[in-house]
Amino acid sequence: MVRTPLTPEERERGERLGRLLREARGARSMTDVAASAGISAETLRKIETGRAPTPAFFTVAALAGALGLSMDELIGRCAPEAPGVPGAPDASIAA
């Protein structure tokens, strides 16, 4: 099975997610957060650095729970803005 290459927008969204997770983690260790989410520290490292720009939904949900973030907040901060509407997520992502 051949995986379709990611678009530049998908890569950018993954980088935004990684930055958000790093910020939310703050002073907590990567190992502590990963264990709380039930994932490996290496998986968290890949997500935070953008090397895994499209993590599984349940991985993102587990990280959000471990970090005290809502999924709505993640979507709002990671989705690209709709043209002409600052702060509004792109309708194709939000739908």
Side-chain angles (χ1 to χ4, degrees), residues 70-82:
S70 73
M71 292 300 285
D72 288 336
E73 182 178 5
L74 285 177
I75 290 169
R77 293 184 59 190
C78 292
E81 293 181 1

Side-chain angles (χ1 to χ4, degrees), residues 17-75:
L17 174 63
R19 284 191 299 270
L20 174 60
L21 294 175
R22 271 194 312 275
E23 289 171 13
R25 184 166 55 84
R28 289 177 65 184
S29 75
M30 190 174 288
T31 305
D32 178 46
V33 172
S36 294
I39 64 171
S40 71
E42 182 59 22
T43 296
L44 179 54
R45 183 180 342 279
K46 287 178 180 178
I47 294 168
E48 285 189 358
T49 60
R51 289 186 1 239
T54 57
F57 172 81
F58 290 105
T59 300
V60 176
L63 285 167
L67 293 168
L69 299 170
S70 73
M71 292 300 285
D72 288 336
E73 182 178 5
L74 285 177
I75 290 169

